[in-house]
């Protein structure tokens, strides 16, 4: 089993920055892919960024490219999301996700349905 615990959300003004963290507990060696997803009220959950744990391959959603950076610390078993130049449209609940299956296509990497483990979410609110 794997447990994911997010932290770092909060309220910030447009143009500001936040860093989200996701601590991973349990059978961490089984994880192949991890990612950050977000869901705003009334909208579907969408991919923000994903990373392959066996290397450094990363994928980003089009709306966050150039502003957000996903990274991982294998020693601390922690996934990060550095969010810069935040916009009001980035307001959402952000979820950490992980999966044990390999390989994943580029489409699967950005699909919420391809991830088995999920955290409880952390709220990010960006005001204009």
């Amino acid at each position: 089993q794997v447990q994911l615990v997010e932290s770092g959300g909060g309220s910030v003004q447009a143009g500001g920055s936040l860093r989200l963290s996701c601590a991973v507990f349990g059978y961490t060696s089984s994880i192949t892919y991890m990612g950050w997803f977000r869901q705003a009220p009334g909208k579907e959950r969408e991919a923000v960024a994903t990373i392959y744990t066996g290397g450094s391959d990363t994928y980003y959603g089009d709306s966050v490219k150039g502003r957000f950076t996903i990274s991982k610390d294998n020693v601390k078993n922690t996934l990060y999301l550095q969010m810069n130049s935040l916009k009001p449209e980035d307001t959402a609940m952000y979820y950490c996700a992980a999966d044990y299956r390999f390989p994943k296509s580029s489409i699967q990497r950005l699909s919420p349905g391809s991830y088995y483990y999920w955290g409880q979410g952390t709220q990010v609110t960006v005001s204009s």
Side-chain angles (χ1 to χ4, degrees):
Q1 277 289 2
V2 171
Q3 294 82 42
L4 307 174
V5 180
E6 303 101 330
S7 62
S11 297
V12 65
Q13 289 190 328
S17 299
L18 282 174
R19 188 177 80 156
L20 305 183
S21 299
C22 173
V24 186
F25 302 94
Y27 191 30
T28 58
S29 61
S30 66
I31 296 173
T32 54
Y33 293 91
M34 295 195 70
W36 289 98
F37 294 78
R38 67 186 183 187
Q39 188 166 20
K43 294 188 177 181
E44 293 186 353
R45 190 168 297 189
E46 65 172 356
V48 175
T50 68
I51 189 167
Y52 169 54
T53 61
S56 58
D57 292 350
T58 57
Y59 282 81
Y60 292 91
D62 290 340
S63 63
V64 305
K65 286 179 181 177
R67 301 188 297 123
F68 292 9
T69 303
I70 188 172
S71 63
K72 56 184 174 66
D73 185 325
N74 292 332
V75 175
K76 295 182 178 179
N77 287 327
T78 302
L79 181 73
Y80 301 101
L81 182 69
Q82 178 66 43
M83 304 186 293
N84 298 328
S85 302
L86 282 160
K87 304 175 181 180
E89 50 264 45
D90 294 318
T91 295
M93 185 70 79
Y94 283 70
Y95 297 91
C96 176
D99 199 62
Y100 55 88
R101 290 164 287 194
F102 178 87
K104 290 188 187 295
S105 68
S106 57
I107 293 176
Q108 290 173 323
R109 294 185 190 199
L110 294 176
S111 172
S114 295
Y115 291 80
Y116 186 80
Y117 301 104
W118 291 85
Q120 80 288 351
T122 185
Q123 178 68 37
V124 172
T125 302
V126 184
S127 58
S128 57

